[in-house]
Amino acid sequence: MSWKKVCKATDVAPNTLKKFWIDGGIPIVIANYGSGFAAIPPMCPHMEEPLEISGVISNCVLTCTKHLWAWNLATLEQHGTETEKDIKSYQCKEENGDILALVEEEIVYEFDDEDDMDDDSFFAKS
Amino acid sequence: MPARNHSQWLAKPKLEGGEWIDSRVYSDQNVFDDEMERIFKKVWIPVCHESELPKPYDFRTTSIAGEPIIIARGPDNEVRAFLNVCPHRGMLLERRPSGSFLEGQPSGNPKRITCMFHAWQFDMKGSCVYVAREKEGYQDRLCKEDVGLRRLRCEVKFGGFVWVSLDDNPKISLEDWAGEPFDCLRKSIDAEPLEVFHYHKAIIDTNYKLWHDTNSEFYHDFMHYHNRVTGFNDAYFARKNFAFKHGHVVVGTFEVNYENYEGFESRGALSFPHLPPNQWYMVDLFPGMNFNLRGSALRCDVVTPLGPDKVMIEFRGLGLKRDTPEERETRINHHNSIWGPFGRNLHEDLIGVAGQGTTMRPHTEPRQILHGRHENQTIHDEIGMRHYYDEWGRWMDRLPNDPDQPWHERNPGESAEAAE
């Protein structure tokens, strides 16, 4: 486990998110919420939505605009009435103008598996 | 024969009952409506080729008998078909002709089919995975598990074509439906993966069966000037039509001598696997599909009837997936020189059926269409059409030469069920 440089602090403007790749493959989104930075996996835990595209930040709160799941980026607490899952994140710090993240392995969310209904009996159900 | 007055014109021809049909078969709205219910909603239709959705989450949309359909390849590489209809309020789910679900739509998410209307979402197996504000609106009365897509019978078969049936319990399996007529082509088209390199469609003001009729007889080579002057030889006239159960016909093989075709070259070097050089085969499937393997290129026509006097015909050209760029270029050239928009005969065929469509518009006076040529089942024999309309009569329970009369009364024991 080690701290990895992701980008410069000036690469991500306040209240925006940007996607980077570290170690030649792990994708990380850096969110600048004004009073700090968060390093998160790039997908919304709800339905795999890319947050660097569909996420908006206002008053420290990251909202996925597809179904309005939201989290406070300073505390990582769920925000609002729609959110059903926690957001995961990498530890993150700013050092000498660089943004560093503590990365051991890629954080991925578990999404529901699709049911297997490929047997022929599917068409016989009533 | 002198010209005829009205009653002479309307008199029945001096041919047997199965040797002519009534033009209402091609022009009557009720007949058309019956065809959609009794035939097109029951049979297997090749809606596209698997190479047209090469990657997971690729999709195409089409329709059968007016019902909109999505064909999608799942992350497990399986190709599945669904009604392109949202179970909520009946919105058309996907409007694009083809594309990928890998990237999310404006109202949806990656890897999902999303209804743009109220943002309901479905996965590649048709399961509903998101209902907007589900608990607030439905409490526990209705949930995602209750509102999956309508999945359709779908099989990839006979050279990688994607076959769909709107009938959940088809009386005939796809193998039994088309296995025998495809026997002559199977080794060649199933030896290795094929790939579509040509697609175009024509929407013609004519009845779909008139297109199939043209694919079922070669007497109309008199319209194809080049075929007539360079193709009429002993081998050409020796070809036979073979009738198969379920209304299908295969035109026997022969070797095309391209030296007789001005500006053409032999296709031997690029002939399909297991196919003798420059050989040619054609399979006509009831109720309106045609597969034509001309040495180096496979053509497939599929009709989508849009009304008694309107049909969409989709034309696909296929080669081998492993073609080098040079081989592919040659194959495309071979295909287009015969079947492309400026090819040897396709556009002339379209003129033929458009002319028939003009004389058989709905509400034109019923007339007789002759299918009576007998030439020992050879290439100018009209047996293909007679065989087709026998099958048509059984499925429709209508007599082709008197379509208001039931088939089963004149042919006891030969109802649609008996035919199956």
Side-chain angles (χ1 to χ4, degrees):
Chain A
M1 195 182 296
S2 60
W3 287 93
K4 314 271 187 189
K5 179 185 167 181
V6 185
C7 61
K8 288 186 183 306
T10 51
D11 288 341
V12 188
N15 292 328
T16 68
L17 307 99
K18 208 164 175 178
K19 187 175 181 179
F20 301 92
W21 283 264
I22 61 163
D23 278 0
I26 296 180
I28 286 190
V29 164
I30 300 296
N32 181 344
Y33 53 92
S35 54
F37 291 86
I40 56 176
M43 281 177 191
C44 177
H46 181 205
M47 292 180 78
E48 303 184 60
E49 186 65 18
L51 287 170
E52 79 278 11
I53 295 171
S54 301
V56 297
I57 300 173
S58 176
N59 296 326
C60 283
V61 173
L62 166 65
T63 303
C64 177
T65 52
K66 286 298 166 70
H67 304 118
L68 307 183
W69 285 27
W71 305 266
N72 184 312
L73 287 175
T75 64
L76 298 180
E77 286 171 351
Q78 295 182 14
H79 183 91
T81 57
E82 300 294 318
T83 319
E84 293 174 19
K85 286 183 188 167
D86 287 337
I87 195 167
K88 295 181 181 179
S89 75
Y90 301 93
Q91 277 192 59
C92 176
K93 65 182 178 186
E94 186 179 348
E95 216 172 73
N96 303 323
D98 291 334
I99 302 297
L100 306 178
L102 190 60
V103 178
E104 185 178 23
E105 58 183 12
E106 183 177 356
I107 296 175
V108 288
Y109 293 102
E110 301 251 319
F111 294 99
D112 293 342
D113 271 348
E114 294 166 357
D115 294 338
D116 193 0
M117 300 190 301
D118 271 346
D119 56 304
D120 208 49
S121 63
F122 171 81
F123 289 100
K125 286 192 290 194
S126 56
Chain B
M1 171 81 187
R4 291 177 281 173
N5 66 26
H6 197 186
S7 67
Q8 289 172 317
W9 171 254
L10 296 178
K12 289 183 178 166
K14 295 177 188 166
L15 291 169
E16 295 293 317
E19 296 174 335
W20 59 279
I21 72 171
D22 185 309
S23 65
R24 282 176 291 169
V25 163
Y26 298 115
S27 62
D28 188 284
Q29 183 70 47
N30 293 328
V31 168
F32 177 83
D33 294 343
D34 264 8
E35 286 175 321
M36 295 304 102
E37 292 302 319
R38 302 181 76 125
I39 300 177
F40 279 82
K41 288 186 177 177
K42 303 289 181 191
V43 298
W44 292 94
I45 306 281
V47 292
C48 65
H49 189 263
E50 61 93 15
S51 68
E52 294 173 288
L53 355 107
K55 297 189 296 294
Y57 302 103
D58 284 350
F59 73 86
R60 286 184 72 84
T61 56
T62 182
S63 69
I64 297 176
E67 301 288 347
I69 287 167
I70 299 179
I71 305 105
R73 188 184 288 274
D76 55 357
N77 242 358
E78 284 294 312
V79 176
R80 298 182 182 82
F82 307 98
L83 220 53
N84 188 2
V85 174
C86 183
H88 175 214
R89 296 259 293 274
M91 173 69 160
L92 187 69
L93 282 171
E94 180 53 61
R95 311 170 80 85
R96 294 170 289 176
S98 66
S100 170
F101 292 121
L102 192 56
E103 289 189 16
Q105 288 297 94
S107 310
N109 299 99
K111 305 177 184 175
R112 314 291 183 209
I113 301 168
T114 302
C115 181
M116 71 191 294
F117 206 2
H118 303 94
W120 287 28
Q121 294 188 44
F122 307 88
D123 67 19
M124 295 299 112
K125 289 188 172 177
S127 306
C128 180
V129 292
Y130 180 73
V131 170
R133 292 171 56 75
E134 180 181 350
K135 286 272 181 234
E136 289 86 341
Y138 294 107
Q139 298 80 40
D140 292 316
R141 297 170 298 117
L142 191 81
C143 62
K144 289 190 275 293
E145 286 67 30
D146 303 323
V147 288
L149 298 185
R150 159 98 197 270
R151 184 161 159 211
L152 305 172
R153 287 269 182 194
C154 178
E155 288 186 41
V156 177
K157 206 174 168 74
F158 303 130
F161 287 91
V162 179
W163 301 76
V164 171
S165 172
L166 289 181
D167 188 349
D168 267 10
N169 301 296
K171 292 196 176 71
I172 309 164
S173 72
L174 179 54
E175 176 63 37
D176 288 346
W177 171 250
E180 287 179 15
F182 265 115
D183 256 354
C184 62
L185 288 183
R186 253 174 150 163
K187 268 175 81 176
S188 293
I189 61 176
D190 282 338
E192 55 180 287
L194 308 182
E195 189 167 70
V196 170
F197 59 67
H198 173 94
Y199 175 89
H200 81 277
K201 61 186 178 187
I203 295 176
I204 307 287
D205 291 335
T206 198
N207 185 273
Y208 76 92
K209 295 186 295 301
L210 291 164
W211 182 254
H212 197 70
D213 291 352
T214 293
N215 275 335
S216 303
E217 55 90 0
F218 283 71
Y219 190 39
H220 75 276
D221 270 332
F222 281 97
M223 174 168 67
H224 298 316
Y225 166 80
H226 290 287
N227 282 11
R228 178 161 35 103
V229 298
T230 64
F232 281 12
N233 56 32
D234 289 349
Y236 168 91
F237 281 110
R239 273 181 295 175
K240 280 203 169 185
N241 296 292
F242 299 98
F244 289 85
K245 64 182 178 185
H246 307 312
H248 313 315
V249 172
V250 170
V251 183
T253 184
F254 91 129
E255 184 178 346
V256 181
N257 188 352
Y258 288 99
E259 284 170 15
N260 290 345
Y261 287 25
E262 190 183 341
F264 282 74
E265 60 186 22
S266 166
R267 286 143 187 236
L270 280 179
S271 282
F272 267 45
H274 307 294
L275 190 72
N278 293 323
Q279 289 298 120
W280 178 97
Y281 272 106
M282 191 159 110
V283 175
D284 284 309
L285 291 191
F286 182 88
M289 285 74 74
N290 173 268
F291 297 82
N292 192 333
L293 181 54
R294 193 182 249 278
S296 53
L298 176 66
R299 162 183 157 190
C300 170
D301 304 0
V302 178
V303 297
T304 300
L306 302 174
D309 58 345
K310 201 175 276 295
V311 61
M312 177 176 76
I313 314 166
E314 292 177 284
F315 300 93
R316 288 175 170 85
L318 297 97
L320 304 181
K321 198 162 195 163
R322 65 164 159 88
D323 282 344
T324 64
E326 294 75 26
E327 287 170 335
R328 182 58 61 86
E329 195 66 28
T330 308
R331 238 184 254 288
I332 290 171
N333 187 29
H334 288 174
H335 173 275
N336 288 357
S337 59
I338 302 281
W339 298 319
F342 299 100
R344 204 171 142 104
N345 54 23
L346 186 99
H347 51 305
E348 293 171 346
D349 287 331
L350 292 173
I351 291 170
V353 298
Q356 290 177 292
T358 302
T359 76
M360 289 184 249
R361 286 182 183 131
H363 312 300
T364 50
E365 186 177 65
R367 52 192 59 128
Q368 297 129 14
I369 307 300
L370 309 184
H371 292 166
R373 293 184 59 84
H374 289 268
E375 281 191 67
N376 194 27
Q377 296 181 38
T378 54
I379 201 80
H380 288 189
D381 192 316
E382 286 166 341
I383 182 179
M385 289 182 288
R386 291 192 295 274
H387 183 60
Y388 179 100
Y389 288 98
D390 261 6
E391 186 75 10
W392 185 91
R394 286 187 202 101
W395 283 78
M396 294 287 286
D397 198 16
R398 289 175 183 267
L399 283 176
N401 61 11
D402 194 357
D404 286 339
Q405 296 303 312
W407 170 276
H408 71 270
E409 282 181 15
R410 301 272 180 92
N411 299 276
E414 272 207 44
S415 64
E417 275 80 72
E420 289 152 14

